[in-house]
């Protein structure tokens, strides 16, 4: 009798209920099967919400990470796994829209302040802070994932490194490295434009 029933000849294509039970039990092979089976559906939802690109890919990744790290809350007898994944995906889509809206409001506010500034140019006080903020928000839009998401969790959601690691499923050291490298990258870009991140 094989140790892994999912790999047995008669179970090479396990039914959805079996995948759900194995997923809830922490079987990594079930996670791989779930991604193969329903990753396209989850990604399709994200693409319909945001169009193809980094946001859709990020939502897809976040959905499976959240499902896996939160599998203790999944009850296969109460809900099929694909329905649970769809529910998580909807939450991640809503979170991403909220983040986009927050960034839009912050950019609009910064631009309004900048437009209200004297035409003579940016002084050393509030005007330069507004200019720096606009530049930082613009640079964040250029970052890829997972760096952009990590920076947003750190600075917009005010999460600690440990909380970011828990939410994203990334190792703590990786989170710290991404934040350090991303801040260095932002600093060098902004210094090139005559702005600088605070030390």
């Amino acid at each position: 009798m094989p140790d892994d029933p999912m790999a047995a000849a008669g179970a090479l294509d396990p039914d959805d209920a079996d995948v759900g039970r194995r997923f809830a039990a922490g079987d990594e092979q079930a996670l791989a099967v779930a991604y193969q089976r329903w990753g396209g559906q989850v990604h399709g939802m994200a693409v319909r919400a945001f169009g193809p690109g980094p946001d859709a890919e990020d939502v897809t990744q976040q959905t499976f990470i959240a499902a896996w790290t939160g599998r203790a809350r999944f009850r296969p007898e109460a809900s099929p796994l694909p329905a649970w994944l769809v529910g998580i995906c909807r939450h991640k889509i809503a979170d991403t829209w909220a983040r986009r809206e927050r960034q839009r409001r912050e950019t609009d506010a910064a631009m309004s302040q900048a437009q209200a500034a004297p035409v003579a140019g940016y002084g050393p006080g509030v005007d330069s802070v507004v200019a720096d903020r606009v530049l930082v928000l613009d640079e964040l839009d250029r970052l890829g994932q997972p760096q952009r998401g990590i920076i947003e969790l750190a600075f917009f959601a005010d999460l600690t490194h440990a909380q970011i690691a828990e939410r994203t499923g990334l190792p703590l050291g990786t989170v710290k490295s991404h934040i350090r490298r991303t801040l260095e990258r932002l600093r060098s870009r902004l210094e090139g434009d005559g702005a600088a991140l605070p030390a």
Side-chain angles (χ1 to χ4, degrees):
M1 187 82 179
D3 291 335
D4 186 358
M6 189 172 276
L12 289 175
D13 189 22
D15 63 26
D16 292 354
D18 189 36
V19 175
R21 286 190 296 271
R22 299 289 295 271
F23 186 97
D27 185 334
E28 292 184 6
Q29 189 176 8
L31 170 61
V33 172
Y35 186 82
Q36 182 181 33
R37 196 167 287 186
W38 299 298
Q41 178 184 357
V42 169
H43 187 252
M45 288 176 61
V47 168
R48 285 193 296 277
F50 305 110
D55 280 336
E57 293 166 10
D58 191 39
V59 164
T60 304
Q61 180 184 21
Q62 287 181 15
T63 297
F64 280 90
I65 289 172
W68 182 247
T69 57
R71 62 187 179 276
R73 296 188 299 275
F74 172 55
R75 297 288 177 265
E77 68 279 2
S79 172
L81 183 55
W84 195 59
L85 291 168
V86 164
I88 293 173
C89 183
R90 286 184 179 138
H91 283 292
K92 296 302 177 184
I93 287 170
D95 289 347
T96 302
W97 276 121
R99 172 180 55 76
R100 278 184 163 194
E101 178 59 21
R102 186 169 60 248
Q103 287 179 331
R104 185 194 64 75
R105 287 196 308 268
E106 290 173 347
T107 302
D108 288 349
M111 290 300 293
S112 295
Q113 287 180 308
Q115 288 168 354
V119 180
Y122 295 115
V126 175
D127 296 341
S128 63
V129 172
V130 171
D132 288 357
R133 187 169 182 80
V134 171
L135 285 171
V136 168
L137 290 170
D138 183 58
E139 289 301 329
L140 283 177
D141 284 341
R142 298 183 190 183
L143 287 176
Q145 295 294 349
Q147 292 88 349
R148 186 180 71 183
I150 290 171
I151 289 293
E152 287 167 351
L153 290 173
F155 292 97
F156 291 116
D158 201 26
L159 299 185
T160 66
H161 292 172
Q163 289 169 329
I164 294 169
E166 183 179 351
R167 179 171 295 194
T168 61
L170 294 170
L172 181 58
T174 301
V175 169
K176 290 180 178 179
S177 295
H178 276 312
I179 289 175
R180 186 182 67 254
R181 285 197 299 269
T182 302
L183 288 178
E184 288 170 354
R185 180 178 167 191
L186 285 171
R187 182 185 298 276
S188 63
R189 283 189 181 181
L190 295 175
E191 285 174 348
D193 286 329
L197 290 168

